[in-house]
Amino acid sequence: MSVDTVSLTGWGRTAPTTAVRFSPRTYEEAAAAVRGRGPRGVIARGLGRSPGDAAQNAGGSVLDLTGLARIGGVDAAGAVRCDAGVSLERLLRVLLPLGWLPPVVPGTGRVTVGGAIGSDLPGLDHRRSGSFARHVSALELLTADGEVRTVLPGTALFDATAGGLGLTGVILGATLRLRRVATALMSVSTERAEDLDDLLARFTAGGDRLPYASAWIDLMARGRATGRGILTRGEHATPDMRPAHAGRTLLSPRSGGARGRFRLPGCPPVPGGLFGPASAALYNEVRYRGAPRARAGELRPVGAFFHAADAFPDASLLYGRGGLVRYRFAVGHGQEETLHRVVRRIAARRSPAVRAVLQRFGAADPGGLSFAAPGWSLALDLPAALPGLGRFLDDVDEEVAAAGGRVCLAKDSRMRPEAAAAMYPGLAGFRELRARLDPTEAFRSDLSRRLGL
């Protein structure tokens, strides 16, 4: 097991802190690192995809699990056992040729199985499938005493670990229930919406006929065009939908992998970022006008459909050396006016927002700190160096909390502890379970200290 001292940040590249990093290759090495932790505790880390500080531990230890990356065979019931350090991108490449898909596919493949469970990530079909942990039939959890427990759904420890951000222990492996697919293609429909009301109406008009749905919102548009966007929906293509030139099967790694990623090799971060208000507005205008007014039945590879965002360059190239703040919140059905107000406030600030994704959630997941709940979710990226951004987002936090909504903890890098307590009624129970299971607070992170989790 290698050990070094490193400065770490989240994917947003804000608030770097220094920790001792352990990189185990076996469960035994991981257990030894937890037993030998220092007074500042330890936190698990995967690919560092969390935009905030959930996988940082200033002055303590960080357990890099990317060396634990074994994938077992798929059994007759369609289940696979894999290590926590396996990326969803790799899992998709391995499973797709066999006719299987991970149970929930989020918007990036560059996250580990352990990270997907610890964040309880929702996918584009949350209304049907729920979040990631709902499809975990068992997990191996390394607890504060250095022992590995098998934890099953329906238990208090499982529910606290799903969305628990690594604070109940180190997820070492999991058994996932998979989804059978016939091809590695998606049948995709795309349509433009003129404003936010039009976009919400289009979201709900089709029901769940196409299970996967998300929309990009132009947060630079104002006036009558405020909240305009592009709605993308999809379903798994059947063999009869395949092109005439295709072979006997479309279940190939090449069909499903992420290809054509946009990279700028050797290009250093731009101090002010590539996007100011004018350039961001131009980019959004071109993107909106370039989308079809309505198109159905377009075939796309699975990876290109789910992981389109992975084709973009690193955050620093877009948002400058100060990094980015990802703000993701959710409000319930009946609170659409809150969503409208937040969109109008962001548009009025002329903040250079080029990434903004709207989703519709279904039933709440059982995890005490799981983010998804029935209603609407909006995720957006903003340059961390924007003047007055912290105060502005504090105000939005208050508006979201007053509407009964919540901000996603797994994405957060700046929320105040009182706001988190107001948004997550299950937080008190989570703290009580942690106190019983881990009275010495073996598992800590910068996020847990900041929010008092």
Side-chain angles (χ1 to χ4, degrees):
M1 174 171 59
S2 64
V3 182
D4 58 352
T5 300
V6 292
S7 177
L8 296 171
T9 71
W11 185 68
R13 301 185 180 183
T14 59
T17 57
T18 301
V20 177
R21 178 174 59 189
F22 294 84
S23 301
R25 295 288 176 177
T26 66
Y27 286 10
E28 292 75 18
E29 289 182 350
V34 169
R35 293 191 192 102
R37 65 188 179 272
R40 295 282 287 179
V42 61
I43 195 69
R45 183 181 177 94
L47 294 171
R49 195 65 178 183
S50 172
D53 50 4
Q56 298 171 223
N57 185 22
S61 301
V62 168
L63 207 59
D64 182 342
L65 296 183
T66 54
L68 300 179
R70 296 168 298 179
I71 303 175
V74 180
D75 66 19
V80 65
R81 197 249 160 236
C82 55
D83 286 345
V86 174
S87 74
L88 298 189
E89 185 177 49
R90 178 170 168 243
L91 194 62
L92 188 149
R93 288 200 308 267
V94 170
L95 294 176
L96 199 54
L98 305 176
W100 297 102
L101 202 66
V104 167
V105 185
T108 176
R110 300 174 194 168
V111 62
T112 61
V113 167
I117 297 170
S119 301
D120 202 13
L121 290 178
L124 300 184
D125 65 337
H126 187 272
R127 284 172 58 81
R128 284 194 182 183
S129 301
S131 294
F132 196 91
R134 193 178 293 187
H135 304 272
V136 175
S137 56
L139 58 84
E140 289 86 51
L141 187 70
L142 174 61
T143 50
D145 55 8
E147 300 299 320
V148 179
R149 305 187 189 188
T150 298
V151 184
L152 301 178
T155 63
L157 181 53
F158 187 96
D159 289 347
T161 302
L165 303 169
L167 298 175
T168 62
V170 178
I171 300 169
L172 295 175
T175 301
L176 311 177
R177 295 187 297 273
L178 304 176
R179 172 175 298 161
R180 174 66 84 176
V181 294
T183 75
L185 295 175
M186 304 293 296
S187 177
V188 182
S189 79
T190 306
E191 52 191 301
R192 283 191 343 212
E194 296 179 353
D195 56 29
L196 186 54
D197 281 328
D198 185 26
L199 184 59
L200 298 181
R202 291 173 184 269
F203 245 112
T204 56
D208 290 330
R209 185 181 62 84
L210 298 180
Y212 302 100
S214 69
W216 169 78
I217 295 183
D218 180 2
L219 291 179
M220 301 295 292
R222 294 185 291 181
R224 290 186 297 179
T226 300
R228 68 180 181 179
I230 304 167
L231 173 61
T232 304
R233 289 185 281 199
E235 62 181 336
H236 293 286
T238 56
D240 60 290
M241 297 177 181
R242 66 189 183 187
H245 63 271
R248 295 178 60 187
T249 178
L250 292 175
L251 291 170
S252 71
R254 186 168 297 176
S255 297
R259 294 290 185 267
R261 287 180 184 156
F262 176 66
R263 298 184 185 277
L264 297 176
C267 181
V270 180
L274 294 179
F275 286 117
S279 57
L282 177 61
Y283 171 87
N284 285 4
E285 181 72 21
V286 170
R287 180 172 181 178
Y288 179 77
R289 297 295 176 188
R293 291 187 178 274
R295 180 173 61 197
E298 178 194 6
L299 294 180
R300 297 184 195 172
V302 165
F305 176 78
F306 287 108
H307 300 154
D310 288 347
F312 283 87
D314 289 340
S316 61
L317 296 175
L318 297 178
Y319 296 99
R321 289 178 180 155
L324 69 86
V325 169
R326 175 159 295 171
Y327 188 73
R328 187 174 195 183
F329 70 94
V331 292
H333 295 298
Q335 295 295 331
E336 285 79 6
E337 181 51 38
T338 300
L339 180 62
H340 274 274
R341 285 197 299 270
V342 172
V343 169
R344 287 196 298 266
R345 291 179 66 177
I346 295 170
R349 279 180 58 90
R350 300 295 289 165
S351 300
V354 296
R355 183 192 180 277
V357 179
L358 181 70
Q359 287 181 245
R360 194 177 177 210
F361 286 158
D365 295 289
L369 298 185
S370 293
F371 168 64
W376 302 96
S377 163
L378 178 62
L380 59 136
D381 291 346
L382 295 168
L386 279 178
L389 180 62
R391 181 177 298 178
F392 172 75
L393 292 180
D394 285 345
D395 291 343
V396 177
D397 285 346
E398 293 180 3
E399 188 158 3
V400 169
R406 57 184 58 174
V407 169
C408 182
L409 299 178
K411 310 291 185 185
D412 180 58
S413 59
R414 32 67 46 200
M415 188 165 48
R416 296 173 299 180
E418 58 270 24
M423 294 174 184
Y424 286 87
L427 181 54
F430 178 82
R431 287 169 173 157
E432 290 174 7
L433 184 142
R434 277 197 71 205
R436 293 196 307 271
L437 182 70
D438 182 13
T440 63
E441 295 189 12
F443 302 108
R444 307 183 210 173
S445 66
D446 291 355
L447 175 75
S448 72
R449 280 187 285 266
R450 177 169 55 82
L451 296 181
L453 303 180

